Amino acid sequence: MRIIILFSVILSVIGCTSSPFNTSNAPQYITVLHTNDNHGRFWHNEKGEYGMAARKTLIDALRNEARQQGHAVLLLSGGDINTGIPESDLQHAEPDFKGMSLLGYDAMAIGNHEFDNPLSVLAKQQQWANFPLLSANIFDKATGESAFQGYQVFEKNGLKIAVIGLTTTDTAKIANPQYIGHLEFKDPVDVTAKLVKEIKQQYNPDITIALTHMGHYVDANFGINAPGDVTLARSLPANTLDMIIGGHSQEPVCMAAKNKNDDNFKPGLACKPDQQNGTWIMQAHEWGKYVGKAEFKLENGTLTLLDYKLMPVNLYVDEIQDDGSSKQVLANEYIEPDPTLKSFLATYQAKGAKQIAGKIGSVDARLEGDRNKVRYQQTNLARVIIQAQMNVVGADFGLISGGGIRSSIEAGDISYKDILKVHPFKNRITYMDWQGRDLWNYLETVTSFPVDAGAYLQYHKLAFTRKNGKLVSVLIDGKPLEENKTYRMSLNSYNASGGDGYPAINKLKGFVSTDETDAQALKTFVSQNSPLKAAQFAPK
């Protein structure tokens, strides 16, 4: 009888433990909600699209529905909360991190833009967040220790879920070198392979998720970028990771077929996430435009995706009318912003707006600064920016990496807010006095950067020719470069210190850094030269 009683007690204890020891064959369910690349969009745009208050209404409804169905629920972010909207940037994304806390995020990956400010700011942001900021592949060079929390294990509704944070190794070249010089960004594949084994031995999780800020590149075609989520999934043993929730490439990951992107996806349409080597890969575009919702069933150790949606947050789409014209209509039913969160965020919005209000100038046509242009071709806005910086230091010519231009400027009045959307990083204007022969060697490198990269070179008062992978001619302000002549080049402090993979020149003789920021330079140029004529800056 004592043996029978003891056996009954053992069974009772086992029945109370989490699923790895659960003898029941009953299926278990989990709903994973996710966003990424917030970039300061705590407030809705001029059309009322996205915004954290409406996002909260949607997430609260999705979370409640999932829990009523017996699902465990996780809310995750693929990182890059910082940088993009002046009202947020001027307040170090305080409204964004505090807003995420009120939305109930469980964890986020640390993105490269989390290093746009000194690490003291990132530490403050962690205090504002009531959830962990994760990255397992960032290490302190001096100590060899992890610089941040690498993972978190959650126990929800009988499921044990391990979430591992990962950050693109490109951060080492695209983040501000002044803030990350002491950090090492290790290969995510090696780090993950080792960490998964350790987590399995210690926790034996039911589900393992990589929460990444590395980018989704279709069929692993990552080009000049660091390898992303597809490479991670393929490089590990099959089914090592159950899912990758990502960010960085800022796209909706919707697949038309195996290794083929769905180029026809629009808000409100069906979206099938990528799957590589037994791992589901998901990303929800950017700015909180969508909330990704993935529903899974776990049964007998097998995780099955039941349903996936990218749910638009008050996004508009073009609807063709009977007369052939198009009209902007909501892609979904209007989501009422959560009144409490909206009121909370409104204080920050008003404070930020007050700092940037007022007209400083005007332009007669659009100045092009969109991401899909400044990383592919020369643009008029780049010429305006470089001329403004050249004026500060009296340069003969100037350069800037395309990735440093963050927004366009529309025709009409220009405000300080418009300037700060273009230049959110507070980079300082620097100059370098080159001897012609040394300048040639520098240009040999920076003129070689390909399109579709933040490093892509935008330039002004400079012309060059490359043949067979070599620099063969250079003109400065229309005249051939002379080896023994001195030339002054303007450049921002980010590129000068090695950002975007540019050669670091900030310790060379002839280098000077000013106290003028890129935003101040552009603001001064616009105010002194308005109304600007966009055609005068058209690339030749």
Side-chain angles (χ1 to χ4, degrees):
M1 177 64 70
R2 291 171 63 190
I3 293 174
I4 293 173
I5 293 172
L6 178 60
F7 185 66
S8 299
V9 170
I10 292 171
L11 286 179
S12 174
V13 171
I14 291 174
C16 293
T17 61
S18 57
S19 59
F21 310 99
N22 199 326
T23 58
S24 171
N25 291 323
Q28 295 166 287
Y29 298 89
I30 181 172
T31 292
V32 178
L33 307 175
H34 64 97
T35 63
N36 56 277
D37 293 274
N38 179 74
H39 287 298
R41 267 75 178 184
F42 70 89
W43 200 248
H44 55 77
N45 70 0
E46 294 82 357
K47 294 162 59 177
E49 295 179 304
Y50 49 87
M52 280 187 157
R55 193 195 312 175
K56 186 176 192 305
T57 300
L58 175 59
I59 286 173
D60 285 351
L62 295 175
R63 185 187 280 123
N64 291 336
E65 179 185 9
R67 286 173 175 168
Q68 289 173 8
Q69 295 173 349
H71 290 216
V73 183
L74 272 181
L75 175 58
L76 304 174
S77 167
D80 265 11
I81 309 308
N82 287 284
T83 310
I85 295 297
E87 291 91 334
S88 172
D89 299 340
L90 291 168
Q91 301 175 80
H92 293 313
E94 181 178 353
D96 307 83
F97 280 96
K98 289 185 174 178
M100 290 176 71
S101 295
L102 294 171
L103 265 74
Y105 276 80
D106 291 290
M108 65 165 268
I110 294 177
N112 55 285
H113 282 286
E114 270 61 82
F115 299 99
D116 288 344
N117 304 296
L119 293 191
S120 59
V121 174
L122 181 55
K124 178 65 71 174
Q125 291 171 339
Q126 176 65 89
Q127 294 176 11
W128 291 332
N130 61 5
F131 52 89
L133 279 57
L134 303 177
S135 185
N137 67 313
I138 306 178
F139 292 80
D140 187 288
K141 290 179 181 178
T143 66
E145 299 295 322
S146 295
F148 301 95
Q149 181 179 341
Y151 67 92
Q152 179 81 29
V153 177
F154 298 91
E155 294 197 33
K156 293 194 176 236
N157 208 35
L159 284 173
K160 193 176 290 187
I161 309 138
V163 178
I164 301 170
L166 296 167
T167 305
T168 175
T169 57
D170 270 346
T171 307
K173 67 179 182 181
I174 62 179
N176 194 320
Q178 299 171 52
Y179 304 147
I180 64 166
H182 66 295
L183 298 177
E184 180 182 5
F185 296 79
K186 292 188 177 181
D187 183 350
V189 175
D190 295 340
V191 170
T192 303
K194 179 182 178 182
L195 196 54
V196 165
K197 291 179 182 177
E198 294 176 2
I199 293 172
K200 184 174 182 180
Q201 184 176 12
Q202 185 173 354
Y203 299 98
N204 194 24
D206 300 285
I207 297 168
T208 302
I209 301 172
L211 180 59
T212 73
H213 191 83
M214 293 167 40
H216 176 266
Y217 306 109
V218 175
D219 202 16
N221 293 317
F222 51 85
I224 194 176
N225 305 296
D229 296 336
V230 175
T231 301
L232 175 66
R234 290 180 179 180
S235 300
L236 296 167
N239 303 300
T240 297
L241 298 170
D242 293 296
M243 65 190 87
I244 297 172
I245 304 297
H248 187 52
S249 50
Q250 296 180 226
E251 62 177 349
V253 174
C254 302
M255 309 302 293
K258 181 76 171 175
N259 297 321
K260 184 179 180 181
N261 193 60
D262 182 0
D263 295 329
N264 296 316
F265 174 78
K266 293 180 180 178
L269 298 182
C271 174
K272 181 181 179 182
D274 200 357
Q275 188 180 46
Q276 300 285 335
N277 204 22
T279 300
W280 290 102
I281 303 175
M282 303 166 182
Q283 187 179 150
H285 200 188
E286 61 184 2
W287 305 355
K289 293 177 179 177
Y290 300 90
V291 173
K293 183 188 77 166
E295 296 178 331
F296 291 92
K297 177 176 74 173
L298 179 66
E299 188 172 21
N300 298 322
T302 299
L303 190 68
T304 304
L305 179 65
L306 300 177
D307 185 56
Y308 183 74
K309 290 184 176 68
L310 279 183
M311 311 193 72
V313 183
N314 293 339
L315 297 184
Y316 285 87
V317 294
D318 289 326
E319 182 179 81
I320 304 300
Q321 305 300 298
D322 293 338
D323 62 0
S325 63
S326 64
K327 178 184 178 182
Q328 289 245 304
V329 298
L330 279 170
N332 57 301
E333 291 187 15
Y334 181 70
I335 301 170
E336 287 286 348
D338 178 84
T340 302
L341 184 57
K342 185 176 181 180
S343 177
F344 174 80
L345 295 174
T347 302
Y348 291 97
Q349 177 67 9
K351 181 180 177 181
K354 185 178 179 180
Q355 294 177 271
I356 55 179
K359 172 184 174 181
I360 62 169
S362 64
V363 63
D364 64 349
R366 190 175 197 262
L367 295 174
E368 183 59 69
D370 284 6
R371 179 188 178 99
N372 62 355
K373 295 291 176 59
V374 294
R375 297 176 182 229
Y376 290 85
Q377 65 193 50
Q378 300 299 298
T379 75
N380 54 7
L381 178 56
R383 300 288 172 99
V384 172
I385 289 169
I386 297 169
Q387 187 64 63
Q389 298 181 7
M390 289 170 58
N391 287 1
V392 171
V393 298
D396 299 301
F397 73 102
L399 312 175
I400 184 175
S401 59
I405 302 171
R406 308 303 291 192
S407 181
S408 296
I409 296 178
E410 300 298 334
D413 291 344
I414 299 174
S415 68
Y416 189 35
K417 176 177 180 177
D418 297 321
I419 300 296
L420 292 174
K421 287 170 70 176
V422 173
H423 283 317
F425 299 121
K426 309 178 189 71
N427 292 312
R428 298 193 177 277
I429 308 305
T430 75
Y431 68 87
M432 177 70 188
D433 286 335
W434 292 103
Q435 284 295 109
R437 65 177 68 88
D438 298 323
L439 174 57
W440 182 284
N441 294 332
Y442 177 82
L443 293 174
E444 180 73 64
T445 298
V446 299
T447 60
S448 69
F449 294 128
V451 299
D452 194 15
Y456 173 72
L457 183 69
Q458 295 282 349
Y459 49 91
H460 187 39
K461 300 296 183 179
L462 168 73
F464 59 88
T465 304
R466 295 184 64 90
K467 288 184 179 179
N468 300 319
K470 292 288 186 180
L471 186 66
V472 296
S473 72
V474 174
L475 301 178
I476 305 294
D477 199 15
K479 298 177 181 178
L481 182 145
E482 299 178 28
E483 284 192 359
N484 296 318
K485 187 174 179 179
T486 300
Y487 297 93
R488 178 165 293 186
M489 175 185 78
S490 67
L491 191 70
N492 66 43
S493 56
Y494 169 73
N495 292 133
S497 57
D500 271 336
Y502 279 55
I505 61 173
N506 55 335
K507 292 184 171 59
L508 298 181
K509 181 181 178 181
F511 175 81
V512 176
S513 179
T514 75
D515 291 329
E516 188 92 349
T517 67
D518 46 14
Q520 289 170 334
L522 185 56
K523 179 184 178 183
T524 298
F525 185 82
V526 169
S527 63
Q528 291 180 350
N529 294 278
S530 287
L532 292 176
K533 304 291 185 184
Q536 293 179 1
F537 299 92
K540 297 182 175 60

